[in-house]
Amino acid sequence: MTSQVLEIVGLSKVLRTPFSRKPGFHVGPFNLSIGESEIVGLIGANGAGKTSAIKMMLGLLVPDAGKVSVAGLSTSAPDWRSKVGYLPEQPAFYEYLSGLEFMTFVGDLLGLDPKTLGARVDALLNRVGLFESRRRPIRTYSKGMLQRLGLAQALLNEPKLLIMDEPMSGLDPLGRRFVRDLMLELKAEGRSILFSTHIISDAEFVCDRVALMRAGRLAAVGTFDELLGLPTEFEVTSVKPSGSSAGEERGRVNVRIRQADLTAAITQIVTEGSHLVGVAPVRKAVEDLLAPPAAREEGR
């Protein structure tokens, strides 16, 4: 049985605005576990509570209730943070430092010895594609370069668990692809990853499971197939044979068929001499998961 790298039980907090009479926003209760070499996406619409949940996991926001353990260590243990790497949604840097100087500064805070630190910094900067720019001031870095630097610092302590808040937000397609590929590489190396996102296509590409948040609550946890349910309809595409007129083009036909009628439809297409091009399941839109059930009903 795979051991749990992250275990969260009953984590919750009421977030209140100072001097406001409005009721607080309740985040939780939150129960989630992540195994070794597993990527879990925390998905939800903006304002669903993803960032607040992550901050509670990391101890940056003190929860009202619940407990968290990382690699078997309770967050009350003095050295549990050595097992975790963290990339916030908007990482802040000392812009007058170079990338190399910033990484060295972070390594000093982690207590790494100079020999280990130097080799690790060079390897990580090379891995994220910043080695050639390591001596440039951070203020000259692009958005994508800043995100790569943030990833490098999050990996400096060789964490067992990597937590990232919206790591692909604001990146161009190549930047998003780089982050996705890096996540899959880290998984292959035995690391576990939890990341929040509202970019569903990215989560579908890399996640083993997703945790769906709505209005501060953890609504469901599972694979996309489990959350969406099995398809009940299929789109069948066929091409009709040419007519008697010379040069007549074949007509492409798309038909939506219920699962119960699928076999009969395919048989009819073949019997009539048409060419079957493809059969694809018609799935619910993944984005529909983000809306509360009442909103989804109203939209029908």
Side-chain angles (χ1 to χ4, degrees), residues 32-95:
L32 181 67
S33 61
I34 298 179
E36 294 180 351
S37 302
E38 185 178 24
I39 301 178
V40 175
L42 187 61
I43 65 173
N46 290 332
K50 303 186 298 295
T51 295
S52 297
I54 285 177
K55 287 182 177 179
M56 284 195 291
M57 297 175 201
L58 293 164
L60 301 175
L61 191 63
V62 180
D64 296 334
K67 59 182 181 179
V68 179
S69 62
V70 178
L73 293 176
S74 168
T75 51
S76 60
D79 60 344
W80 72 272
R81 284 189 175 89
S82 65
K83 307 293 184 182
V84 182
Y86 172 50
L87 176 65
E89 181 178 4
Q90 296 178 328
F93 303 97
Y94 297 110
E95 294 187 346

Side-chain angles (χ1 to χ4, degrees), residues 93-270:
F93 303 97
Y94 297 110
E95 294 187 346
Y96 57 87
L97 295 179
S98 67
L100 177 60
E101 289 169 336
F102 174 75
M103 289 288 286
T104 303
F105 169 71
V106 174
D108 287 338
L109 293 178
L110 292 170
L112 299 176
D113 68 85
K115 184 176 180 180
T116 299
L117 176 58
R120 197 173 295 178
V121 165
D122 286 349
L124 283 170
L125 290 176
N126 185 61
R127 184 170 193 175
V128 301
L130 292 178
F131 188 77
E132 297 300 324
S133 305
R134 67 192 185 281
R135 300 189 187 279
R136 281 174 49 187
I138 294 175
R139 64 176 175 270
T140 67
Y141 283 13
S142 67
K143 166 67 176 177
M145 294 172 71
L146 291 174
Q147 200 74 345
R148 290 169 185 247
L149 183 60
L151 282 166
Q153 67 81 27
L155 296 171
L156 195 53
N157 61 331
E158 297 188 337
K160 187 70 176 174
L161 171 67
L162 178 61
I163 297 179
M164 300 183 288
D165 192 3
E166 299 284 359
M168 303 168 199
S169 178
L171 297 181
D172 62 22
L174 290 178
R176 287 167 52 195
R177 178 179 178 179
F178 169 80
V179 175
R180 293 198 307 261
D181 289 347
L182 180 60
M183 290 168 66
L184 293 174
E185 290 174 11
L186 293 170
K187 173 187 174 179
E189 294 171 4
R191 305 191 197 280
S192 302
I193 299 172
L194 172 69
F195 76 103
S196 69
T197 186
H198 59 268
I199 304 174
I200 302 300
S201 59
D202 290 330
E204 285 187 289
F205 189 84
V206 300
C207 289
D208 299 298
R209 293 183 298 142
V210 289
L212 171 63
M213 288 195 72
R214 294 196 199 107
R217 304 300 177 94
L218 192 59
V221 179
T223 64
F224 275 106
D225 286 341
E226 290 169 344
L227 267 60
L228 291 169
L230 294 174
T232 58
E233 290 185 319
F234 291 80
E235 185 174 75
V236 180
T237 304
S238 63
V239 177
K240 290 185 176 181
S242 299
S244 56
S245 302
E248 181 179 350
E249 293 184 358
R250 300 182 179 188
R252 191 182 186 94
V253 179
N254 295 320
V255 182
R256 184 169 289 192
I257 303 293
R258 293 181 303 172
Q259 187 171 13
D261 302 325
L262 182 61
T263 301
I266 293 175
T267 301
Q268 182 178 352
I269 289 171
V270 175

